[in-house]
PDB file of all heavy atoms in Angstrom:
ATOM      1  N   PHE A  34      14.366  20.362  19.242  1.00 91.00           N
ATOM      2  CA  PHE A  34      14.936  20.127  17.977  1.00 91.00           C
ATOM      3  C   PHE A  34      16.180  20.996  17.699  1.00 91.00           C
ATOM      4  O   PHE A  34      17.071  20.620  17.063  1.00 91.00           O
ATOM      5  CB  PHE A  34      13.871  20.298  16.834  1.00 91.00           C
ATOM      6  CG  PHE A  34      14.343  19.910  15.455  1.00 91.00           C
ATOM      7  CD1 PHE A  34      14.644  18.569  15.135  1.00 91.00           C
ATOM      8  CD2 PHE A  34      14.526  20.908  14.474  1.00 91.00           C
ATOM      9  CE1 PHE A  34      15.123  18.240  13.824  1.00 91.00           C
ATOM     10  CE2 PHE A  34      14.878  20.585  13.206  1.00 91.00           C
ATOM     11  CZ  PHE A  34      15.215  19.287  12.901  1.00 91.00           C
ATOM     12  N   LEU A  56       7.672   7.527   9.895  1.00 93.00           N
ATOM     13  CA  LEU A  56       6.885   7.033  11.033  1.00 93.00           C
ATOM     14  C   LEU A  56       5.515   7.364  10.896  1.00 93.00           C
ATOM     15  O   LEU A  56       4.588   6.553  11.020  1.00 93.00           O
ATOM     16  CB  LEU A  56       7.506   7.534  12.377  1.00 93.00           C
ATOM     17  CG  LEU A  56       6.707   7.187  13.614  1.00 93.00           C
ATOM     18  CD1 LEU A  56       6.533   5.725  13.835  1.00 93.00           C
ATOM     19  CD2 LEU A  56       7.306   7.891  14.841  1.00 93.00           C
ATOM     20  N   VAL A  66      -4.140  12.325   6.179  1.00 97.00           N
ATOM     21  CA  VAL A  66      -3.452  13.356   5.388  1.00 97.00           C
ATOM     22  C   VAL A  66      -2.331  13.979   6.308  1.00 97.00           C
ATOM     23  O   VAL A  66      -2.618  14.168   7.475  1.00 97.00           O
ATOM     24  CB  VAL A  66      -4.366  14.459   5.002  1.00 97.00           C
ATOM     25  CG1 VAL A  66      -3.659  15.590   4.189  1.00 97.00           C
ATOM     26  CG2 VAL A  66      -5.551  13.988   4.132  1.00 97.00           C
ATOM     27  N   GLU A 143       3.200  20.100  30.249  1.00 88.00           N
ATOM     28  CA  GLU A 143       3.019  19.044  31.139  1.00 88.00           C
ATOM     29  C   GLU A 143       4.199  18.038  31.132  1.00 88.00           C
ATOM     30  O   GLU A 143       4.069  16.924  31.691  1.00 88.00           O
ATOM     31  CB  GLU A 143       1.670  18.368  30.852  1.00 88.00           C
ATOM     32  CG  GLU A 143       0.467  19.248  31.211  1.00 88.00           C
ATOM     33  CD  GLU A 143      -0.833  18.655  30.983  1.00 88.00           C
ATOM     34  OE1 GLU A 143      -0.837  17.427  30.530  1.00 88.00           O
ATOM     35  OE2 GLU A 143      -1.786  19.261  31.266  1.00 88.00           O
ATOM     36  N   GLY A 144       5.238  18.292  30.318  1.00 90.00           N
ATOM     37  CA  GLY A 144       6.388  17.429  30.379  1.00 90.00           C
ATOM     38  C   GLY A 144       6.932  17.044  29.080  1.00 90.00           C
ATOM     39  O   GLY A 144       7.919  16.336  28.974  1.00 90.00           O
ATOM     40  N   ASN A 161     -19.643  36.664  35.941  1.00 54.00           N
ATOM     41  CA  ASN A 161     -18.808  37.629  36.740  1.00 54.00           C
ATOM     42  C   ASN A 161     -18.427  38.768  35.969  1.00 54.00           C
ATOM     43  O   ASN A 161     -18.194  39.921  36.531  1.00 54.00           O
ATOM     44  CB  ASN A 161     -17.466  36.940  37.173  1.00 54.00           C
ATOM     45  CG  ASN A 161     -17.745  35.812  38.178  1.00 54.00           C
ATOM     46  OD1 ASN A 161     -18.723  35.853  38.901  1.00 54.00           O
ATOM     47  ND2 ASN A 161     -16.811  34.870  38.261  1.00 54.00           N
ATOM     48  N   LEU A 174     -25.453  32.620  19.250  1.00 85.00           N
ATOM     49  CA  LEU A 174     -24.622  32.729  18.076  1.00 85.00           C
ATOM     50  C   LEU A 174     -23.681  31.471  17.956  1.00 85.00           C
ATOM     51  O   LEU A 174     -23.520  30.947  16.740  1.00 85.00           O
ATOM     52  CB  LEU A 174     -23.662  33.947  18.209  1.00 85.00           C
ATOM     53  CG  LEU A 174     -22.785  34.304  17.027  1.00 85.00           C
ATOM     54  CD1 LEU A 174     -23.509  34.590  15.797  1.00 85.00           C
ATOM     55  CD2 LEU A 174     -21.911  35.529  17.403  1.00 85.00           C
ATOM     56  N   ARG A 198      -3.312  47.576  16.802  1.00 77.00           N
ATOM     57  CA  ARG A 198      -1.960  47.161  16.640  1.00 77.00           C
ATOM     58  C   ARG A 198      -0.929  48.377  16.933  1.00 77.00           C
ATOM     59  O   ARG A 198       0.068  48.199  17.438  1.00 77.00           O
ATOM     60  CB  ARG A 198      -1.743  46.475  15.370  1.00 77.00           C
ATOM     61  CG  ARG A 198      -0.269  45.968  15.222  1.00 77.00           C
ATOM     62  CD  ARG A 198      -0.100  45.108  13.966  1.00 77.00           C
ATOM     63  NE  ARG A 198      -0.921  43.859  14.025  1.00 77.00           N
ATOM     64  CZ  ARG A 198      -0.582  42.740  14.687  1.00 77.00           C
ATOM     65  NH1 ARG A 198       0.535  42.729  15.364  1.00 77.00           N
ATOM     66  NH2 ARG A 198      -1.337  41.720  14.722  1.00 77.00           N
TER      67      ARG A 198
END
Side-chain angles (χ1 to χ4, degrees):
F34 184 67
L56 174 60
V66 180
E143 292 180 0
N161 291 337
L174 183 62
R198 183 170 295 280

